[in-house]
Amino acid sequence: MTVQKNRMNGKVYQYLRCGKCKAGGHGAPNPEDIYAKLVEDVLSVLGDEPVMTREYRQGAEARKEQQRLEQSISYYMAGLEPEGRFTKTRFTKERAEKTLDDLIKQLEAIERRAAW
C-alpha cells in the first residue's frame, strides 16, 4: 500500500492505493487513521510479548580481515627481530615499525567493533 496525494481546488486529498492491484484498486481514504488503527491492533495483540533482540557476531568478511591483519603483524614482527629482514637499514626498520603500528591499530579497531 502506498499513500497517494491529489490536490483539487486547493485542498489535498490522501488515500491508500494498492501497488499490486490493476489500476491501483479503489483506494482507501484517511491513511493516517488506517495506520493508527493498524498499530493499535498490532500492539493490543503483541504488546505483552517480550522484546527479542539479535546480536550478530563477526561476519566472514570481518574474520577474513582479522586473519589478514594478524598474518601481516606476524610477518612484520618476525622481520623486526634481531637479524630480521627489516633490521638491515634504518629506513627499512622505521618503515616496518610504522607499518606494524598501523596494522595493530586496524586490528584493535576490528576487535573493538566485535566487542559491541
Side-chain angles (χ1 to χ4, degrees):
M1 300 297 279
T2 58
V3 176
Q4 299 290 315
K5 295 180 182 180
N6 282 345
R7 185 180 302 264
M8 291 181 65
N9 299 329
K11 188 170 181 181
V12 177
Y13 295 92
Q14 294 183 351
Y15 54 95
L16 290 176
R17 296 297 292 249
C18 177
K20 294 182 181 180
C21 297
K22 292 181 181 179
H26 296 291
N30 305 319
E32 290 86 12
D33 295 341
I34 293 171
Y35 283 128
K37 179 66 174 154
L38 176 65
V39 168
E40 180 184 317
D41 289 348
V42 168
L43 289 178
S44 69
V45 172
L46 300 176
D48 293 332
E49 294 292 319
V51 175
M52 295 173 49
T53 59
R54 291 186 180 180
E55 294 181 20
Y56 293 95
R57 294 227 178 253
Q58 287 185 8
E61 227 174 90
R63 280 192 302 274
K64 195 181 291 185
E65 176 67 6
Q66 183 175 356
Q67 289 173 345
R68 184 192 70 79
L69 288 169
E70 289 170 352
Q71 288 173 351
S72 296
I73 289 169
S74 295
Y75 171 77
Y76 280 96
M77 288 177 71
L80 286 168
E81 290 176 354
E83 301 301 318
R85 177 179 191 165
F86 301 120
T87 58
K88 299 194 184 334
T89 68
R90 184 176 54 96
F91 174 76
T92 56
K93 184 178 180 185
E94 289 174 357
R95 294 289 291 200
E97 288 172 344
K98 182 183 180 326
T99 302
L100 179 61
D101 289 341
D102 292 343
L103 291 169
I104 291 171
K105 286 178 187 173
Q106 291 175 31
L107 183 60
E108 288 172 343
I110 287 176
E111 289 177 349
R112 274 196 304 271
R113 280 182 287 194
W116 279 79

